[in-house]
Amino acid sequence: IWEQILEGAAPLLPNQTVDIWLKSCSALRMEDDRLVLDAGNSFVAKKVKDSFLATLESVMQRQGKGSGIDLVYDSKPVGAEETLPPPQPHSPISSNGLNRQYDFTSFVVGKSNRLAHAASLAVAESPGEAYNPLFIWGGVGLGKTHLMHAIGNYAQGKNGNTKVTYLSSEKFTNELITAIKNARTAEFRAKYRHVDILLIDDIQFLAGKESTQDEFFHTFNDLHTEHKQIVLSSDRPPKELGDIEDRIISRFEWGLVTDIQQPDYETRIAILKKKAEQRRIPVNDDIIGFLAENIPSNIRELEGALNRVIASANFSQEPITIENTQEWLKDVIGNGRRGPLTFQSIMDVVSSEFGFSPEDICGKRRTAEVALARQVAMYMCRTHTESSLQQIAKDFGKKDHTTVLHALKKIEMLMKEDARVRKIVENIDKKL
Ligand code: ADP
Ligand code: MG
């Protein structure tokens, strides 16, 4: 019913409304002849109620689908909301670090990212007022960076005077180091303390960098006091950020902490369709289904696979069939295997089990726990995929396969002798 109402209402609403605001709502059920609609949070609910509800209800009545719509969020009905204070005046400056392609329109909403999307939208609509800071965490390639840019782009589209700065925590660190070297810390401070929305991506890289954390702490406090919006992303939740000062971690939790999960099958399908549509390439449903099934965990890989298929088809002048797709992607999805397990999906499970990022696991750190995670991941790749030892070594950035061989022996031995390791491996097995 909701789909039909949306379709009917689309021509009557401002252009991007349906996409941006309404797709984050989900229909829950009919109660008598009223549709109960979950708006996700109070900001979306308020916007929908104020701007679109009348249109939606009239379409619904015209279609004979029912008499009206009841909005809820967090399972509470939408009552009288407090009105927001008027936006503060901003000084003009151009955007900084934003990628225009990453906007809300091109972001596909599904169960795995619904809350993160709704929260981002709320923050973009009312920077500094909705949730401050907004902390988005989740595995690689699941859309954190996309959402951050979308927030910046949306806020600037709404008010051209909004000063937005997007940067990675690595860039923040590097700039700070340069500033210290050149005795320009005052300028550095001014730059980041005079923005309306500060978006810092991959905050986990602040770990272990004390002077950067110190500077970040003061920047954070200044912005927060001034009700300027701060948005942060990370590959793990605040509590699991080791090597970051407690006073910083507790601030991360002041606003809203929300995560992005791996997309479910339907969402993967919707994303692929959207991307194919953006490229204006017809890709039929079989192929989309095949990709969605074989690349389960990571949207970046999903997109990469689609691009590869399109490029290969172009290049070889062959039609996009399942057989061809299988051939073109054989190093991504294994040799014709239709099982859902890939290096990436294994990495995701192992990294969540151990609480290290995939980068850490593939990296060079040698602390006992990281090394164990790495060896377990290699063992999983060997037992759950058909990758050769050489391929696994390559996936982990190792020069030769003896490292992998060593890891396999080690884990096999530990499984016999160490109950904790056995338990970990069993847990991972279950999740896979
Ligand atoms: P992360 O920062 O979490 O590692 P990104 O934001 O860089 O991930 O996303 C990886 C790629 O996947 C990007 O090209 C992005 O546009 C795309 N992507 C991620 N989530 C979605 C989504 N929900 N809808 C459309 N594209 C998405
Ligand atoms: Mg990112």
mmCIF file of all heavy atoms in Angstrom, residues 371-397:
data_model
loop_
_atom_site.group_PDB
_atom_site.id
_atom_site.type_symbol
_atom_site.label_atom_id
_atom_site.label_comp_id
_atom_site.label_asym_id
_atom_site.label_seq_id
_atom_site.Cartn_x
_atom_site.Cartn_y
_atom_site.Cartn_z
ATOM 1 N N ALA A 371 47.948 -10.806 15.991
ATOM 2 C CA ALA A 371 48.522 -11.942 15.268
ATOM 3 C C ALA A 371 47.562 -13.128 15.298
ATOM 4 O O ALA A 371 47.358 -13.805 14.288
ATOM 5 C CB ALA A 371 49.878 -12.318 15.873
ATOM 6 N N LEU A 372 46.933 -13.333 16.450
ATOM 7 C CA LEU A 372 45.979 -14.437 16.550
ATOM 8 C C LEU A 372 44.795 -14.203 15.601
ATOM 9 O O LEU A 372 44.380 -15.107 14.869
ATOM 10 C CB LEU A 372 45.489 -14.580 18.003
ATOM 11 C CG LEU A 372 44.441 -15.675 18.218
ATOM 12 C CD1 LEU A 372 45.034 -17.054 17.924
ATOM 13 C CD2 LEU A 372 43.881 -15.647 19.639
ATOM 14 N N ALA A 373 44.285 -12.977 15.603
ATOM 15 C CA ALA A 373 43.157 -12.655 14.720
ATOM 16 C C ALA A 373 43.544 -12.916 13.264
ATOM 17 O O ALA A 373 42.772 -13.463 12.473
ATOM 18 C CB ALA A 373 42.740 -11.195 14.892
ATOM 19 N N ARG A 374 44.756 -12.511 12.917
ATOM 20 C CA ARG A 374 45.244 -12.689 11.549
ATOM 21 C C ARG A 374 45.296 -14.176 11.200
ATOM 22 O O ARG A 374 44.840 -14.607 10.152
ATOM 23 C CB ARG A 374 46.630 -12.059 11.452
ATOM 24 C CG ARG A 374 47.189 -11.951 10.052
ATOM 25 C CD ARG A 374 48.511 -11.182 10.111
ATOM 26 N NE ARG A 374 48.322 -9.853 10.664
ATOM 27 C CZ ARG A 374 49.201 -9.245 11.470
ATOM 28 N NH1 ARG A 374 50.338 -9.846 11.818
ATOM 29 N NH2 ARG A 374 48.941 -8.041 11.928
ATOM 30 N N GLN A 375 45.826 -14.960 12.138
ATOM 31 C CA GLN A 375 45.965 -16.392 11.856
ATOM 32 C C GLN A 375 44.596 -17.071 11.763
ATOM 33 O O GLN A 375 44.374 -17.919 10.905
ATOM 34 C CB GLN A 375 46.830 -17.043 12.944
ATOM 35 C CG GLN A 375 48.285 -16.596 12.808
ATOM 36 C CD GLN A 375 49.129 -16.973 14.015
ATOM 37 O OE1 GLN A 375 48.614 -17.212 15.105
ATOM 38 N NE2 GLN A 375 50.443 -17.023 13.809
ATOM 39 N N VAL A 376 43.699 -16.657 12.632
ATOM 40 C CA VAL A 376 42.352 -17.230 12.567
ATOM 41 C C VAL A 376 41.712 -16.871 11.228
ATOM 42 O O VAL A 376 41.090 -17.704 10.564
ATOM 43 C CB VAL A 376 41.471 -16.725 13.733
ATOM 44 C CG1 VAL A 376 40.003 -17.050 13.494
ATOM 45 C CG2 VAL A 376 41.939 -17.344 15.047
ATOM 46 N N ALA A 377 41.889 -15.615 10.805
ATOM 47 C CA ALA A 377 41.295 -15.190 9.528
ATOM 48 C C ALA A 377 41.857 -16.012 8.371
ATOM 49 O O ALA A 377 41.128 -16.443 7.480
ATOM 50 C CB ALA A 377 41.549 -13.700 9.313
ATOM 51 N N MET A 378 43.152 -16.255 8.401
ATOM 52 C CA MET A 378 43.765 -17.064 7.335
ATOM 53 C C MET A 378 43.208 -18.484 7.349
ATOM 54 O O MET A 378 42.883 -19.059 6.312
ATOM 55 C CB MET A 378 45.288 -17.112 7.521
ATOM 56 C CG MET A 378 45.966 -15.795 7.187
ATOM 57 S SD MET A 378 47.730 -15.908 7.530
ATOM 58 C CE MET A 378 48.280 -14.316 6.879
ATOM 59 N N TYR A 379 43.092 -19.019 8.551
ATOM 60 C CA TYR A 379 42.553 -20.367 8.707
ATOM 61 C C TYR A 379 41.134 -20.443 8.145
ATOM 62 O O TYR A 379 40.771 -21.384 7.421
ATOM 63 C CB TYR A 379 42.580 -20.718 10.202
ATOM 64 C CG TYR A 379 41.947 -22.042 10.547
ATOM 65 C CD1 TYR A 379 42.652 -23.241 10.410
ATOM 66 C CD2 TYR A 379 40.644 -22.098 11.021
ATOM 67 C CE1 TYR A 379 42.074 -24.461 10.727
ATOM 68 C CE2 TYR A 379 40.047 -23.301 11.340
ATOM 69 C CZ TYR A 379 40.774 -24.487 11.187
ATOM 70 O OH TYR A 379 40.192 -25.686 11.493
ATOM 71 N N MET A 380 40.336 -19.431 8.437
ATOM 72 C CA MET A 380 38.959 -19.392 7.941
ATOM 73 C C MET A 380 38.924 -19.320 6.423
ATOM 74 O O MET A 380 38.118 -19.963 5.771
ATOM 75 C CB MET A 380 38.221 -18.177 8.520
ATOM 76 C CG MET A 380 37.935 -18.310 9.992
ATOM 77 S SD MET A 380 36.773 -19.633 10.242
ATOM 78 C CE MET A 380 36.941 -19.959 11.966
ATOM 79 N N CYS A 381 39.801 -18.500 5.871
ATOM 80 C CA CYS A 381 39.852 -18.380 4.412
ATOM 81 C C CYS A 381 40.203 -19.727 3.778
ATOM 82 O O CYS A 381 39.663 -20.097 2.748
ATOM 83 C CB CYS A 381 40.893 -17.342 3.980
ATOM 84 S SG CYS A 381 40.328 -15.670 4.268
ATOM 85 N N ARG A 382 41.105 -20.431 4.429
ATOM 86 C CA ARG A 382 41.528 -21.711 3.876
ATOM 87 C C ARG A 382 40.414 -22.750 3.975
ATOM 88 O O ARG A 382 40.189 -23.533 3.072
ATOM 89 C CB ARG A 382 42.772 -22.204 4.627
ATOM 90 C CG ARG A 382 43.374 -23.468 4.062
ATOM 91 C CD ARG A 382 43.773 -23.261 2.631
ATOM 92 N NE ARG A 382 44.352 -24.491 2.059
ATOM 93 C CZ ARG A 382 44.518 -24.692 0.769
ATOM 94 N NH1 ARG A 382 44.150 -23.746 -0.089
ATOM 95 N NH2 ARG A 382 45.052 -25.804 0.326
ATOM 96 N N THR A 383 39.707 -22.745 5.111
ATOM 97 C CA THR A 383 38.696 -23.791 5.283
ATOM 98 C C THR A 383 37.358 -23.428 4.626
ATOM 99 O O THR A 383 36.568 -24.304 4.328
ATOM 100 C CB THR A 383 38.446 -24.103 6.780
ATOM 101 O OG1 THR A 383 38.284 -22.869 7.466
ATOM 102 C CG2 THR A 383 39.595 -24.860 7.390
ATOM 103 N N HIS A 384 37.086 -22.149 4.407
ATOM 104 C CA HIS A 384 35.770 -21.772 3.897
ATOM 105 C C HIS A 384 35.740 -21.272 2.460
ATOM 106 O O HIS A 384 34.677 -21.025 1.916
ATOM 107 C CB HIS A 384 35.136 -20.701 4.789
ATOM 108 C CG HIS A 384 34.716 -21.231 6.127
ATOM 109 N ND1 HIS A 384 33.616 -22.033 6.292
ATOM 110 C CD2 HIS A 384 35.259 -21.092 7.359
ATOM 111 C CE1 HIS A 384 33.498 -22.352 7.578
ATOM 112 N NE2 HIS A 384 34.491 -21.794 8.236
ATOM 113 N N THR A 385 36.907 -21.029 1.879
ATOM 114 C CA THR A 385 36.889 -20.621 0.465
ATOM 115 C C THR A 385 37.761 -21.601 -0.303
ATOM 116 O O THR A 385 38.432 -22.448 0.291
ATOM 117 C CB THR A 385 37.463 -19.201 0.256
ATOM 118 O OG1 THR A 385 38.881 -19.259 0.458
ATOM 119 C CG2 THR A 385 36.853 -18.200 1.221
ATOM 120 N N GLU A 386 37.741 -21.467 -1.603
ATOM 121 C CA GLU A 386 38.605 -22.343 -2.381
ATOM 122 C C GLU A 386 39.891 -21.650 -2.800
ATOM 123 O O GLU A 386 40.577 -22.080 -3.704
ATOM 124 C CB GLU A 386 37.826 -22.852 -3.599
ATOM 125 C CG GLU A 386 36.836 -23.925 -3.178
ATOM 126 C CD GLU A 386 35.818 -24.271 -4.259
ATOM 127 O OE1 GLU A 386 36.091 -23.964 -5.435
ATOM 128 O OE2 GLU A 386 34.776 -24.836 -3.915
ATOM 129 N N SER A 387 40.197 -20.552 -2.122
ATOM 130 C CA SER A 387 41.421 -19.820 -2.453
ATOM 131 C C SER A 387 42.655 -20.676 -2.183
ATOM 132 O O SER A 387 42.712 -21.413 -1.204
ATOM 133 C CB SER A 387 41.528 -18.559 -1.603
ATOM 134 O OG SER A 387 40.441 -17.718 -1.838
ATOM 135 N N SER A 388 43.652 -20.529 -3.057
ATOM 136 C CA SER A 388 44.918 -21.229 -2.845
ATOM 137 C C SER A 388 45.695 -20.527 -1.736
ATOM 138 O O SER A 388 45.387 -19.394 -1.357
ATOM 139 C CB SER A 388 45.739 -21.185 -4.130
ATOM 140 O OG SER A 388 46.041 -19.834 -4.427
ATOM 141 N N LEU A 389 46.725 -21.223 -1.221
ATOM 142 C CA LEU A 389 47.574 -20.600 -0.201
ATOM 143 C C LEU A 389 48.170 -19.297 -0.728
ATOM 144 O O LEU A 389 48.248 -18.299 -0.009
ATOM 145 C CB LEU A 389 48.692 -21.555 0.208
ATOM 146 C CG LEU A 389 48.260 -22.824 0.950
ATOM 147 C CD1 LEU A 389 49.462 -23.720 1.201
ATOM 148 C CD2 LEU A 389 47.583 -22.474 2.268
ATOM 149 N N GLN A 390 48.590 -19.332 -1.991
ATOM 150 C CA GLN A 390 49.177 -18.122 -2.595
ATOM 151 C C GLN A 390 48.169 -16.979 -2.607
ATOM 152 O O GLN A 390 48.492 -15.846 -2.284
ATOM 153 C CB GLN A 390 49.629 -18.391 -4.046
ATOM 154 C CG GLN A 390 50.952 -19.120 -4.183
ATOM 155 C CD GLN A 390 50.792 -20.628 -3.970
ATOM 156 O OE1 GLN A 390 49.678 -21.132 -3.795
ATOM 157 N NE2 GLN A 390 51.895 -21.355 -3.968
ATOM 158 N N GLN A 391 46.932 -17.328 -2.986
ATOM 159 C CA GLN A 391 45.901 -16.291 -3.055
ATOM 160 C C GLN A 391 45.640 -15.697 -1.664
ATOM 161 O O GLN A 391 45.526 -14.488 -1.502
ATOM 162 C CB GLN A 391 44.608 -16.883 -3.641
ATOM 163 C CG GLN A 391 43.473 -15.870 -3.773
ATOM 164 C CD GLN A 391 43.843 -14.700 -4.694
ATOM 165 O OE1 GLN A 391 44.396 -14.891 -5.763
ATOM 166 N NE2 GLN A 391 43.556 -13.477 -4.248
ATOM 167 N N ILE A 392 45.579 -16.583 -0.672
ATOM 168 C CA ILE A 392 45.332 -16.086 0.684
ATOM 169 C C ILE A 392 46.475 -15.177 1.127
ATOM 170 O O ILE A 392 46.249 -14.092 1.674
ATOM 171 C CB ILE A 392 45.161 -17.273 1.667
ATOM 172 C CG1 ILE A 392 43.904 -18.068 1.284
ATOM 173 C CG2 ILE A 392 45.047 -16.772 3.112
ATOM 174 C CD1 ILE A 392 43.714 -19.352 2.069
ATOM 175 N N ALA A 393 47.705 -15.607 0.847
ATOM 176 C CA ALA A 393 48.854 -14.769 1.206
ATOM 177 C C ALA A 393 48.699 -13.398 0.568
ATOM 178 O O ALA A 393 48.889 -12.357 1.218
ATOM 179 C CB ALA A 393 50.149 -15.433 0.733
ATOM 180 N N LYS A 394 48.303 -13.382 -0.683
ATOM 181 C CA LYS A 394 48.139 -12.116 -1.402
ATOM 182 C C LYS A 394 47.037 -11.256 -0.765
ATOM 183 O O LYS A 394 47.220 -10.060 -0.535
ATOM 184 C CB LYS A 394 47.780 -12.409 -2.868
ATOM 185 C CG LYS A 394 48.409 -11.417 -3.832
ATOM 186 C CD LYS A 394 48.202 -11.845 -5.284
ATOM 187 C CE LYS A 394 47.294 -10.858 -5.982
ATOM 188 N NZ LYS A 394 46.506 -11.455 -7.062
ATOM 189 N N ASP A 395 45.914 -11.898 -0.452
ATOM 190 C CA ASP A 395 44.816 -11.169 0.186
ATOM 191 C C ASP A 395 45.260 -10.475 1.476
ATOM 192 O O ASP A 395 44.772 -9.411 1.829
ATOM 193 C CB ASP A 395 43.657 -12.114 0.523
ATOM 194 C CG ASP A 395 42.919 -12.586 -0.722
ATOM 195 O OD1 ASP A 395 43.061 -11.928 -1.775
ATOM 196 O OD2 ASP A 395 42.213 -13.607 -0.646
ATOM 197 N N PHE A 396 46.174 -11.134 2.174
ATOM 198 C CA PHE A 396 46.626 -10.577 3.449
ATOM 199 C C PHE A 396 47.862 -9.703 3.291
ATOM 200 O O PHE A 396 48.492 -9.304 4.266
ATOM 201 C CB PHE A 396 46.915 -11.702 4.448
ATOM 202 C CG PHE A 396 45.663 -12.282 5.061
ATOM 203 C CD1 PHE A 396 44.938 -13.255 4.380
ATOM 204 C CD2 PHE A 396 45.195 -11.847 6.291
ATOM 205 C CE1 PHE A 396 43.777 -13.777 4.919
ATOM 206 C CE2 PHE A 396 44.035 -12.364 6.839
ATOM 207 C CZ PHE A 396 43.314 -13.334 6.146
ATOM 208 N N GLY A 397 48.238 -9.472 2.037
ATOM 209 C CA GLY A 397 49.399 -8.615 1.785
ATOM 210 C C GLY A 397 50.719 -9.252 2.187
ATOM 211 O O GLY A 397 51.668 -8.572 2.547
#
